[in-house]
mmCIF file of all heavy atoms in Angstrom:
data_model
loop_
_atom_site.group_PDB
_atom_site.id
_atom_site.type_symbol
_atom_site.label_atom_id
_atom_site.label_comp_id
_atom_site.label_asym_id
_atom_site.label_seq_id
_atom_site.Cartn_x
_atom_site.Cartn_y
_atom_site.Cartn_z
ATOM 1 N N GLU A 107 33.315 -23.352 -45.913
ATOM 2 C CA GLU A 107 32.690 -24.176 -44.907
ATOM 3 C C GLU A 107 31.883 -23.345 -43.927
ATOM 4 O O GLU A 107 30.684 -23.720 -43.493
ATOM 5 C CB GLU A 107 33.653 -25.041 -44.129
ATOM 6 C CG GLU A 107 33.045 -25.833 -42.927
ATOM 7 C CD GLU A 107 31.999 -26.839 -43.326
ATOM 8 O OE1 GLU A 107 31.894 -27.194 -44.555
ATOM 9 O OE2 GLU A 107 31.253 -27.208 -42.443
ATOM 10 N N LEU A 108 32.317 -22.206 -43.521
ATOM 11 C CA LEU A 108 31.577 -21.357 -42.611
ATOM 12 C C LEU A 108 30.403 -20.801 -43.277
ATOM 13 O O LEU A 108 29.423 -20.546 -42.589
ATOM 14 C CB LEU A 108 32.490 -20.185 -42.155
ATOM 15 C CG LEU A 108 33.634 -20.559 -41.210
ATOM 16 C CD1 LEU A 108 34.438 -19.297 -40.878
ATOM 17 C CD2 LEU A 108 33.171 -21.196 -39.936
ATOM 18 N N GLU A 109 30.447 -20.630 -44.586
ATOM 19 C CA GLU A 109 29.167 -20.086 -45.290
ATOM 20 C C GLU A 109 28.135 -21.112 -45.549
ATOM 21 O O GLU A 109 27.013 -20.846 -45.841
ATOM 22 C CB GLU A 109 29.636 -19.521 -46.665
ATOM 23 C CG GLU A 109 30.588 -18.333 -46.617
ATOM 24 C CD GLU A 109 29.797 -17.110 -45.989
ATOM 25 O OE1 GLU A 109 28.661 -16.954 -46.272
ATOM 26 O OE2 GLU A 109 30.413 -16.433 -45.192
ATOM 27 N N ARG A 110 28.493 -22.452 -45.240
ATOM 28 C CA ARG A 110 27.392 -23.480 -45.463
ATOM 29 C C ARG A 110 26.255 -23.281 -44.561
ATOM 30 O O ARG A 110 26.439 -22.860 -43.381
ATOM 31 C CB ARG A 110 28.061 -24.831 -45.245
ATOM 32 C CG ARG A 110 27.095 -26.026 -45.505
ATOM 33 C CD ARG A 110 27.881 -27.285 -45.393
ATOM 34 N NE ARG A 110 28.201 -27.775 -44.057
ATOM 35 C CZ ARG A 110 27.320 -28.351 -43.221
ATOM 36 N NH1 ARG A 110 26.029 -28.548 -43.616
ATOM 37 N NH2 ARG A 110 27.616 -28.683 -42.016
ATOM 38 N N ASP A 111 25.110 -23.518 -45.014
ATOM 39 C CA ASP A 111 23.874 -23.329 -44.163
ATOM 40 C C ASP A 111 23.698 -24.658 -43.320
ATOM 41 O O ASP A 111 23.366 -25.641 -43.712
ATOM 42 C CB ASP A 111 22.691 -23.120 -45.079
ATOM 43 C CG ASP A 111 21.430 -22.895 -44.303
ATOM 44 O OD1 ASP A 111 21.504 -22.795 -43.051
ATOM 45 O OD2 ASP A 111 20.393 -22.654 -44.934
ATOM 46 N N HIS A 112 24.023 -24.402 -42.022
ATOM 47 C CA HIS A 112 24.013 -25.511 -41.127
ATOM 48 C C HIS A 112 22.600 -25.892 -40.676
ATOM 49 O O HIS A 112 22.366 -26.899 -39.942
ATOM 50 C CB HIS A 112 24.843 -25.205 -39.900
ATOM 51 C CG HIS A 112 26.334 -25.182 -40.200
ATOM 52 N ND1 HIS A 112 27.093 -26.226 -40.244
ATOM 53 C CD2 HIS A 112 27.111 -24.157 -40.537
ATOM 54 C CE1 HIS A 112 28.276 -25.947 -40.681
ATOM 55 N NE2 HIS A 112 28.359 -24.641 -40.802
ATOM 56 N N ASP A 113 21.574 -25.178 -41.116
ATOM 57 C CA ASP A 113 20.165 -25.580 -40.867
ATOM 58 C C ASP A 113 19.669 -26.643 -41.817
ATOM 59 O O ASP A 113 18.668 -27.251 -41.673
ATOM 60 C CB ASP A 113 19.265 -24.311 -40.900
ATOM 61 C CG ASP A 113 19.542 -23.321 -39.800
ATOM 62 O OD1 ASP A 113 20.072 -23.828 -38.701
ATOM 63 O OD2 ASP A 113 19.313 -22.162 -39.931
ATOM 64 N N GLU A 114 20.379 -26.777 -42.948
ATOM 65 C CA GLU A 114 19.976 -27.778 -43.923
ATOM 66 C C GLU A 114 20.495 -29.113 -43.445
ATOM 67 O O GLU A 114 21.486 -29.320 -42.825
ATOM 68 C CB GLU A 114 20.656 -27.500 -45.319
ATOM 69 C CG GLU A 114 20.094 -26.156 -45.858
ATOM 70 C CD GLU A 114 20.773 -25.841 -47.244
ATOM 71 O OE1 GLU A 114 21.605 -26.706 -47.716
ATOM 72 O OE2 GLU A 114 20.441 -24.779 -47.769
ATOM 73 N N PRO A 115 19.747 -30.248 -43.897
ATOM 74 C CA PRO A 115 20.133 -31.575 -43.493
ATOM 75 C C PRO A 115 21.503 -31.906 -44.135
ATOM 76 O O PRO A 115 21.858 -31.448 -45.145
ATOM 77 C CB PRO A 115 19.022 -32.498 -44.085
ATOM 78 C CG PRO A 115 18.297 -31.643 -45.043
ATOM 79 C CD PRO A 115 18.520 -30.215 -44.720
ATOM 80 N N TYR A 116 22.257 -32.772 -43.446
ATOM 81 C CA TYR A 116 23.502 -33.227 -43.906
ATOM 82 C C TYR A 116 23.381 -34.084 -45.080
ATOM 83 O O TYR A 116 22.612 -34.977 -45.228
ATOM 84 C CB TYR A 116 24.179 -34.038 -42.700
ATOM 85 C CG TYR A 116 25.490 -34.671 -43.174
ATOM 86 C CD1 TYR A 116 26.644 -33.822 -43.357
ATOM 87 C CD2 TYR A 116 25.604 -35.969 -43.472
ATOM 88 C CE1 TYR A 116 27.858 -34.374 -43.732
ATOM 89 C CE2 TYR A 116 26.791 -36.547 -43.885
ATOM 90 C CZ TYR A 116 27.920 -35.671 -44.008
ATOM 91 O OH TYR A 116 29.088 -36.297 -44.397
ATOM 92 N N GLU A 117 24.235 -33.756 -46.139
ATOM 93 C CA GLU A 117 24.298 -34.588 -47.373
ATOM 94 C C GLU A 117 25.663 -35.047 -47.446
ATOM 95 O O GLU A 117 26.590 -34.321 -47.597
ATOM 96 C CB GLU A 117 23.952 -33.691 -48.529
ATOM 97 C CG GLU A 117 22.446 -33.252 -48.529
ATOM 98 C CD GLU A 117 22.172 -32.412 -49.793
ATOM 99 O OE1 GLU A 117 22.884 -32.540 -50.770
ATOM 100 O OE2 GLU A 117 21.175 -31.677 -49.744
ATOM 101 N N PRO A 118 25.871 -36.387 -47.371
ATOM 102 C CA PRO A 118 27.257 -36.981 -47.402
ATOM 103 C C PRO A 118 27.924 -36.548 -48.687
ATOM 104 O O PRO A 118 27.352 -36.479 -49.710
ATOM 105 C CB PRO A 118 27.038 -38.468 -47.237
ATOM 106 C CG PRO A 118 25.636 -38.655 -47.307
ATOM 107 C CD PRO A 118 24.864 -37.342 -47.297
ATOM 108 N N ASP A 119 29.239 -36.423 -48.523
ATOM 109 C CA ASP A 119 30.094 -36.146 -49.601
ATOM 110 C C ASP A 119 30.793 -37.454 -50.072
ATOM 111 O O ASP A 119 31.471 -38.089 -49.226
ATOM 112 C CB ASP A 119 31.183 -35.122 -49.184
ATOM 113 C CG ASP A 119 32.217 -34.804 -50.283
ATOM 114 O OD1 ASP A 119 32.060 -35.301 -51.442
ATOM 115 O OD2 ASP A 119 33.094 -34.019 -49.985
ATOM 116 N N CYS A 120 30.619 -37.818 -51.316
ATOM 117 C CA CYS A 120 31.106 -39.124 -51.761
ATOM 118 C C CYS A 120 32.607 -39.241 -51.578
ATOM 119 O O CYS A 120 33.145 -40.348 -51.493
ATOM 120 C CB CYS A 120 30.709 -39.387 -53.177
ATOM 121 S SG CYS A 120 28.906 -39.490 -53.383
ATOM 122 N N ASP A 121 33.266 -38.110 -51.693
ATOM 123 C CA ASP A 121 34.756 -38.105 -51.680
ATOM 124 C C ASP A 121 35.313 -37.906 -50.232
ATOM 125 O O ASP A 121 36.512 -37.740 -50.062
ATOM 126 C CB ASP A 121 35.279 -37.038 -52.587
ATOM 127 C CG ASP A 121 34.970 -37.302 -54.003
ATOM 128 O OD1 ASP A 121 34.808 -38.484 -54.345
ATOM 129 O OD2 ASP A 121 34.659 -36.380 -54.756
ATOM 130 N N SER A 122 34.446 -37.858 -49.287
ATOM 131 C CA SER A 122 34.858 -37.535 -47.908
ATOM 132 C C SER A 122 35.494 -38.737 -47.203
ATOM 133 O O SER A 122 34.844 -39.755 -47.058
ATOM 134 C CB SER A 122 33.626 -36.999 -47.058
ATOM 135 O OG SER A 122 34.101 -36.899 -45.685
ATOM 136 N N TRP A 123 36.762 -38.596 -46.772
ATOM 137 C CA TRP A 123 37.418 -39.695 -46.017
ATOM 138 C C TRP A 123 36.649 -39.994 -44.713
ATOM 139 O O TRP A 123 36.582 -41.084 -44.231
ATOM 140 C CB TRP A 123 38.832 -39.364 -45.784
ATOM 141 C CG TRP A 123 39.053 -38.200 -44.842
ATOM 142 C CD1 TRP A 123 39.187 -36.885 -45.184
ATOM 143 C CD2 TRP A 123 39.030 -38.272 -43.455
ATOM 144 N NE1 TRP A 123 39.271 -36.127 -44.081
ATOM 145 C CE2 TRP A 123 39.245 -36.943 -42.940
ATOM 146 C CE3 TRP A 123 38.946 -39.322 -42.414
ATOM 147 C CZ2 TRP A 123 39.238 -36.636 -41.611
ATOM 148 C CZ3 TRP A 123 39.000 -39.012 -41.071
ATOM 149 C CH2 TRP A 123 39.245 -37.678 -40.674
ATOM 150 N N TYR A 124 36.050 -38.998 -44.093
ATOM 151 C CA TYR A 124 35.380 -39.151 -42.849
ATOM 152 C C TYR A 124 34.180 -39.959 -43.092
ATOM 153 O O TYR A 124 33.875 -40.924 -42.267
ATOM 154 C CB TYR A 124 34.953 -37.773 -42.352
ATOM 155 C CG TYR A 124 34.294 -37.855 -40.962
ATOM 156 C CD1 TYR A 124 35.078 -37.814 -39.846
ATOM 157 C CD2 TYR A 124 32.897 -38.056 -40.803
ATOM 158 C CE1 TYR A 124 34.398 -37.868 -38.604
ATOM 159 C CE2 TYR A 124 32.337 -38.060 -39.606
ATOM 160 C CZ TYR A 124 33.075 -38.052 -38.436
ATOM 161 O OH TYR A 124 32.507 -38.081 -37.253
ATOM 162 N N ASP A 125 33.420 -39.817 -44.148
ATOM 163 C CA ASP A 125 32.210 -40.568 -44.403
ATOM 164 C C ASP A 125 32.628 -42.083 -44.649
ATOM 165 O O ASP A 125 31.946 -42.953 -44.169
ATOM 166 C CB ASP A 125 31.398 -40.046 -45.620
ATOM 167 C CG ASP A 125 30.774 -38.720 -45.293
ATOM 168 O OD1 ASP A 125 30.751 -38.299 -44.121
ATOM 169 O OD2 ASP A 125 30.243 -38.144 -46.289
ATOM 170 N N GLU A 126 33.666 -42.253 -45.366
ATOM 171 C CA GLU A 126 34.090 -43.632 -45.704
ATOM 172 C C GLU A 126 34.571 -44.298 -44.405
ATOM 173 O O GLU A 126 34.312 -45.475 -44.203
ATOM 174 C CB GLU A 126 35.229 -43.564 -46.710
ATOM 175 C CG GLU A 126 34.781 -43.188 -48.072
ATOM 176 C CD GLU A 126 35.879 -43.000 -49.018
ATOM 177 O OE1 GLU A 126 36.987 -43.388 -48.775
ATOM 178 O OE2 GLU A 126 35.591 -42.531 -50.172
ATOM 179 N N GLN A 127 35.289 -43.599 -43.562
ATOM 180 C CA GLN A 127 35.846 -44.189 -42.381
ATOM 181 C C GLN A 127 34.817 -44.543 -41.381
ATOM 182 O O GLN A 127 34.908 -45.674 -40.787
ATOM 183 C CB GLN A 127 36.837 -43.260 -41.701
ATOM 184 C CG GLN A 127 37.415 -43.740 -40.437
ATOM 185 C CD GLN A 127 38.419 -42.706 -39.830
ATOM 186 O OE1 GLN A 127 38.623 -41.614 -40.344
ATOM 187 N NE2 GLN A 127 39.029 -43.100 -38.760
ATOM 188 N N TYR A 128 33.825 -43.729 -41.189
ATOM 189 C CA TYR A 128 32.742 -44.045 -40.241
ATOM 190 C C TYR A 128 31.450 -44.598 -40.844
ATOM 191 O O TYR A 128 30.478 -44.762 -40.161
ATOM 192 C CB TYR A 128 32.514 -42.809 -39.377
ATOM 193 C CG TYR A 128 33.747 -42.482 -38.558
ATOM 194 C CD1 TYR A 128 34.591 -41.438 -38.960
ATOM 195 C CD2 TYR A 128 34.085 -43.253 -37.491
ATOM 196 C CE1 TYR A 128 35.689 -41.175 -38.274
ATOM 197 C CE2 TYR A 128 35.239 -42.970 -36.779
ATOM 198 C CZ TYR A 128 36.010 -41.874 -37.093
ATOM 199 O OH TYR A 128 37.175 -41.586 -36.438
ATOM 200 N N GLU A 129 31.437 -44.750 -42.132
ATOM 201 C CA GLU A 129 30.257 -45.221 -42.875
ATOM 202 C C GLU A 129 29.011 -44.540 -42.412
ATOM 203 O O GLU A 129 27.995 -45.208 -41.981
ATOM 204 C CB GLU A 129 30.184 -46.748 -42.639
ATOM 205 C CG GLU A 129 31.374 -47.493 -43.199
ATOM 206 C CD GLU A 129 31.299 -49.003 -43.050
ATOM 207 O OE1 GLU A 129 30.188 -49.504 -42.702
ATOM 208 O OE2 GLU A 129 32.292 -49.699 -43.245
ATOM 209 N N ILE A 130 29.004 -43.239 -42.663
ATOM 210 C CA ILE A 130 27.764 -42.491 -42.322
ATOM 211 C C ILE A 130 26.737 -42.656 -43.326
ATOM 212 O O ILE A 130 27.010 -42.723 -44.518
ATOM 213 C CB ILE A 130 28.117 -40.964 -42.256
ATOM 214 C CG1 ILE A 130 29.097 -40.736 -41.098
ATOM 215 C CG2 ILE A 130 26.878 -40.129 -42.072
ATOM 216 C CD1 ILE A 130 29.567 -39.303 -40.967
#
Side-chain angles (χ1 to χ4, degrees):
E107 171 61 20
L108 290 179
E109 292 295 320
R110 185 173 72 81
D111 187 356
H112 291 278
D113 292 333
E114 294 179 5
Y116 174 76
E117 293 180 20
D119 179 3
C120 297
D121 298 326
S122 172
W123 66 268
Y124 185 86
D125 291 350
E126 290 174 8
Q127 181 179 358
Y128 295 103
E129 298 180 12
I130 295 176

